[in-house]
Amino acid sequence: AWTGGAGWPLMVLAGAVLTVFVAGLAVHSRLGSAGRSVWIGLLFLGTVALMVLSQDFLWVVFPLWLLAATVLPLLASLLLTAVTLALVVTVLAMTGGHSVGAVLGPLVGALVAVGLARGVLQFEHEASEHHRLLAEVLRAEDETARLQREAGVMAERQRLAHDIHDTLAQGFSSIVLLARAAHRAGDPAAAERLVAEIEATASENLAESRRVVMALAPDTP
């Protein structure tokens, strides 16, 4: 357009469209749906003005078709693409492009642009869904491992409780009974025998308590 003698107003308009495009790319992630719609609308209005003023700007609509199909809802992007496609065909017809290619070329370009953009969105959606499902699986595995550890700790506690009840508790009960019997024994020989049994039972309980402590102690390299 510049080499063809386009004036400064057309170049200023082209620069404004480019500025709006770049600025929108920088902030579009922070814009809401209404803000993105306004951004795309301004771009298409500027592009339509450029196409009407110079046929050399017809190609600019193709990347905008890609952008609209990516940012806008499908119905809105199709409507905007159809309107600008009709305008492109009209401009080509007014400038002498009455051939079939003048219609099929922009039509194929519009279909490719919309199809490619929506395909990328679908791929991104599936990838995001895959990552979400993978994160859920990892969380489920972590939860399963945690529950298994808790179940193992509970089983170990129950085993230790049974061991203590079956060995140490019964041994201490035996010591208490023997001690009481020794207090009641009138015969020194009988009392000495009971004391010996108390000592033997206490020794067994001491050995058993050491076994329990060793079982609870962590392994050291």
Side-chain angles (χ1 to χ4, degrees), residues 178-179 181-183 185-201:
L178 291 173
H183 283 298
D187 185 4
E192 185 177 354
R193 180 177 56 78
L194 290 173
V195 170
E197 292 182 7
I198 291 173
E199 182 181 359
T201 303

Side-chain angles (χ1 to χ4, degrees), residues 124-209:
E124 291 179 348
H125 173 73
E126 292 178 357
S128 177
E129 185 69 11
H130 173 74
H131 287 304
R132 185 185 66 82
L133 294 176
L134 180 59
E136 290 183 358
V137 170
L138 293 177
R139 284 195 298 268
E141 290 180 351
D142 292 339
E143 182 66 15
T144 301
R146 185 185 65 81
L147 293 176
Q148 288 177 346
R149 288 193 298 270
E150 291 181 356
V153 170
M154 185 62 64
E156 184 65 16
R157 288 178 177 175
Q158 292 177 352
R159 185 186 67 80
L160 290 175
H162 292 155
D163 288 347
I164 292 173
H165 177 270
D166 295 340
T167 57
L168 297 180
Q170 291 183 3
F172 289 136
S173 298
S174 299
I175 290 174
V176 171
L177 293 176
L178 291 173
R180 290 174 180 175
H183 283 298
R184 293 193 300 267
D187 185 4
E192 185 177 354
R193 180 177 56 78
L194 290 173
V195 170
E197 292 182 7
I198 291 173
E199 182 181 359
T201 303
S203 298
E204 292 177 359
N205 274 19
L206 179 60
E208 184 63 23
S209 63

Side-chain angles (χ1 to χ4, degrees), residues 24-89:
L25 287 180
V27 300
H28 83 282
S29 60
R30 298 190 295 271
L31 296 175
S33 58
R36 289 192 292 268
S37 298
V38 171
W39 175 45
I40 297 298
L42 290 175
L43 286 177
F44 270 94
L45 286 176
T47 303
V48 167
L50 289 175
M51 289 190 300
V52 171
L53 294 174
S54 174
Q55 182 182 355
D56 294 320
F57 286 96
L58 292 179
W59 63 271
V60 179
V61 77
F62 181 81
L64 290 184
W65 285 337
L66 285 169
L67 184 62
T70 303
V71 174
L72 298 180
L74 180 59
L75 183 60
S77 64
L78 289 177
L79 180 60
L80 201 55
T81 300
V83 171
T84 51
L85 176 62
L87 180 61
V88 169
V89 174

